[in-house]
Amino acid sequence: MPSRAAAAGPGGFSFYDHVCLSESLKDLTWAHEGRSYRSQIVIRNAGKRRTEAYLHVVGDDGGWRPVTLEDGTVSDGKVATYERCVEAICGSADTFFTSVFAAQGKRALSAYKNAEIKSLLADLLGQAQIQTLGQKASETARLLRAGLAVVRQDAAGIAAEAQRLDAERLRLEGAPQGLQEATASRAVAQHALDEAQALHARLAALKEQSAGVESRRQQLRSERQAVADSDEQAKARLQKQDRDERERLQQLECRIAGRLDAARKKRLTLERARQRCRSTLEPVSAVQHASNRLPLAERVLAQRTEHTRLGRERAQLLARCEADIRLGEQRLAALEQEAGRAALDARDLAARFGLTGEVPCSGTDLQGRCKLLGDARAAQVLIPSAQAQIERVAGDITSAKACLAVLRIEREALADALRGLSSAERREDTARTRLLSIQALAARLPACDQARAELEIIDEELRALGPVEGSGAAAETDEEKQERSRIYASRQAMLAQTASHAEQVRAALERIDGLLASLPARFDDATLTAAGESVAQSRAAVLTAEQAQVAALRDVLLLKANREQQSALAERRSRCDDRRAHIEDQLGNWALFARCMSNDGLIALAIDDAGPELSGLANDLLLASYGARFTVSIQTLLQTATGDQREGFDILVHDAESAESKSLVWMSGGERTIIEACLTRAIALYLAQSTGRRYSTLFSDEADGALDPDRKRRFMAMKREVLRLGGYEREYFISQTPELTAMADAVIDLDRYVLGQQGTRAIQAAAVPDAVPS
């Protein structure tokens, strides 16, 4: 769909949003330069989206086979190989959709940037080889820049290495003198080590001689330690026995205290129980009196309850009597209202009947048809029933009044019923309260009897318990006294044993201490230790001196290696500088060559050479469609604001009517459409004349949409002039204008194939009738 493509070629438009099946197929059979081709585009929209493109050509055997190019490229279903095959047959897509296929909404030439229009014109002018050379030169320059960066990086590394070597050489300048000093220091340290080792050997011999005395001293110390350990064990054993006896004495005291405490607690419990029983027995006389009066109180409550029941019945009779009186009064009022209505009805009937003698038509021929007279006579018939109604209501009123009088007499007789009921209920409540109090007291009679019995038992237990016992020896039993005596005797025996053992231990320790004091003084290990430390320090000094000597020797060797490295690094720097200069020289040459082979070099000169011919072809087409009003020229050098010239591209249009020239960008929409069409068709004509690449058919898709009817007719004249100048066989164009449909040589009407389509969208073929394919 070229009218909606973002770029020319198969990758410029996506069909995924325009298909609904999981796999869709676009199949097109077309011919070019006498050979038939078949394009198949497979759009897979299920799961992972994928597009496959195949291009086949008719072989010698008449069957379809994949297209194979001279470089070995085969149309294998990939979009990239399909695009290369089509471009090899029909040319580049940009050239085709700029010059041969004019689609609505396509990008205008005036909107192209300098590099884009020059790339397009370079392809039109057959400058592909120059472009290829320019691209290769640019790639070579890019590689040289990358290599130069590496060489410069090497040079920077060499400079850093040189700085490092210089710093190291400055550090190692005094290495020979340092080696001499280190050798002298090692000799001094070795002499000190020999003297320290001799002193240590003499002290070690003295220590071996004193080994026998130290053995005897150690033996006596062991014996003294054994005596001290035995003393400690004996003391621990005696202390344990003393603790055991104290625990026995404490347990005895606890048992005595527990026994006395239990006796006190039991006496206290009995005293409290006796006090509780006495408290229960205090109101015993009142309880006994209440028990005797309980039957009388129950009889009084029953009588007063009966009086209350009778008073409640009289109160209910009073309430019913008052309710009957209210109903009778309501019935009497309703009867009186009914009597009033009956009297009014009787008076109305009498008045209506009185009109009989006053009606003018009475006794005339009209009396049979007089409604007033008929109504009066009807009232005469109703008068007896109205009188009977009045009499009946009067009798009912008399009867209701008699009933009310009887009910009022009964109410007067029951007037004191509510006061009697209140008095009876009050006396009943008093009797019930008194009965409840008597019942409460009488209910405590069994508790009093039980308390009396418990009190006798408690008194017996207190007498059996005896008086409260004191503390100390008087409170102990004979067994407890004997156990206390045994404990005291055992503790006295342990004290005597402890004193005897202590005397024995003291004598043994004095004997051993005397023997230790008679031994000679022990050898001082500190002197031997100090001698050993002096030997270790001397050895460390020798080791340090040896390490310093090795380090000085290493610095001498490093100084020699540093001088050799500096000599080699100088040669390497010289070679690197020569190589960098050579690459910089070649980079300048290749950069200049790439610019010469670019769009702003030879291609720009070729465009300048082709500019007049392209302008001439475009002006011929404008002459055929617009007359001599518009002429165009192609500008590749543009003037800047400072007056300088720069590479660029612009289409300058000269208007003969206004005698002014301006850029195509500033033309009106219809004028720009005509001029753009003439330029694109001029490019197609130039392509056919200069490169030999010819297309027998041109295409236009609603390219006349922005034109008014007059310009559309001129647009049609331009199309015929293009066919004549370029020798084209036909042009397929799509238009929504009926006037242009009539100017076409043949019409393909799609309404015959698509039912229900609204409107008419026709494809016209501006060519000879027999050249239109069926």
Side-chain angles (χ1 to χ4, degrees), residues 381-512:
V381 177
L382 297 175
I383 287 175
S385 61
Q387 293 295 334
Q389 178 70 14
I390 292 172
E391 293 175 358
R392 183 183 62 76
V393 172
D396 292 341
I397 290 173
T398 302
S399 176
K401 287 181 178 180
C403 290
L404 283 174
V406 173
L407 291 173
R408 288 190 180 99
I409 292 171
E410 291 180 0
R411 184 178 64 182
E412 290 176 359
L414 298 172
D416 61 342
L418 294 177
R419 289 193 300 275
L421 176 61
S422 177
S423 177
E425 288 178 346
R426 187 168 57 255
R427 287 194 298 272
E428 182 185 2
D429 291 341
T430 302
R432 181 174 285 105
T433 302
R434 186 179 295 112
L435 177 61
L436 292 175
S437 177
I438 292 172
Q439 285 177 345
L441 286 173
R444 296 172 63 181
L445 184 60
C448 290
D449 295 340
Q450 184 179 359
R452 188 179 292 109
E454 289 181 359
L455 184 59
E456 293 176 357
I457 296 172
I458 291 171
D459 289 339
E460 290 179 359
E461 290 182 357
L462 286 174
R463 285 192 296 271
L465 190 59
V468 179
E469 298 179 357
S471 60
E476 295 180 1
T477 62
D478 295 338
E479 294 179 356
E480 292 170 348
K481 291 177 180 179
Q482 292 175 3
E483 185 176 358
R484 185 184 295 274
S485 298
R486 287 194 298 270
I487 292 172
Y488 285 156
S490 177
R491 294 189 67 186
Q492 290 296 328
M494 282 189 294
L495 289 175
Q497 186 178 359
T498 301
S500 174
H501 181 74
E503 181 63 25
Q504 294 176 3
V505 170
R506 185 185 59 78
L509 290 177
E510 288 179 354
R511 181 182 60 81
I512 294 173

Side-chain angles (χ1 to χ4, degrees), residues 106-112 622 626 629-630 632 650-651 653 662-680 703-704 706-707 711 715 718:
K106 74 169 185 175
R107 189 178 180 186
L109 288 177
S110 57
Y112 278 74
L622 284 171
Y626 254 99
R629 177 182 175 182
F630 294 118
V632 298
D650 192 17
I651 300 172
V653 181
K662 56 184 175 180
S663 176
L664 179 62
V665 178
W666 304 111
M667 303 297 290
S668 65
E671 294 171 348
R672 187 165 59 249
T673 300
I674 289 290
I675 295 172
E676 288 270 0
C678 292
L679 281 171
T680 55
D704 60 336
L707 303 178
R711 286 190 174 90
F715 189 63
M718 183 271 294

Side-chain angles (χ1 to χ4, degrees), residues 244-366:
D244 293 341
E245 294 301 326
R246 284 200 301 270
E247 289 178 359
R248 286 178 60 194
L249 181 60
Q250 186 177 2
Q251 291 174 1
L252 176 61
E253 297 289 347
C254 291
R255 287 199 304 272
I256 295 172
R259 180 174 55 78
L260 295 177
D261 186 61
R264 283 193 296 270
K265 288 182 178 179
K266 184 176 182 182
R267 179 175 293 277
L268 181 60
T269 302
L270 292 174
E271 290 290 344
R272 289 176 180 174
R274 183 170 63 179
Q275 183 65 29
R276 186 174 62 253
C277 292
R278 288 177 179 178
S279 299
T280 304
L281 291 173
E282 283 180 359
V284 65
S285 59
V287 171
Q288 187 64 41
H289 179 69
S291 178
N292 295 333
R293 288 182 59 85
L294 182 59
L296 177 60
E298 290 177 349
R299 289 194 299 272
V300 171
L301 178 61
Q303 292 175 1
R304 292 185 177 179
T305 300
E306 181 63 23
H307 292 165
T308 302
R309 185 185 63 78
L310 295 175
R312 192 173 288 112
E313 290 179 356
R314 293 188 73 226
Q316 292 176 356
L317 290 175
L318 177 62
R320 285 197 296 271
C321 183
E322 289 179 349
D324 292 342
I325 289 172
R326 286 194 297 273
L327 291 175
E329 289 175 349
Q330 293 175 0
R331 183 170 179 273
L332 180 60
L335 291 173
E336 288 176 352
Q337 291 178 0
E338 186 178 358
R341 287 194 298 271
L344 290 175
D345 291 342
R347 188 168 60 249
D348 182 57
L349 290 173
R352 287 163 56 191
F353 179 69
L355 296 175
T356 304
E358 297 177 2
V359 175
C361 59
S362 178
T364 63
D365 296 338
L366 297 175

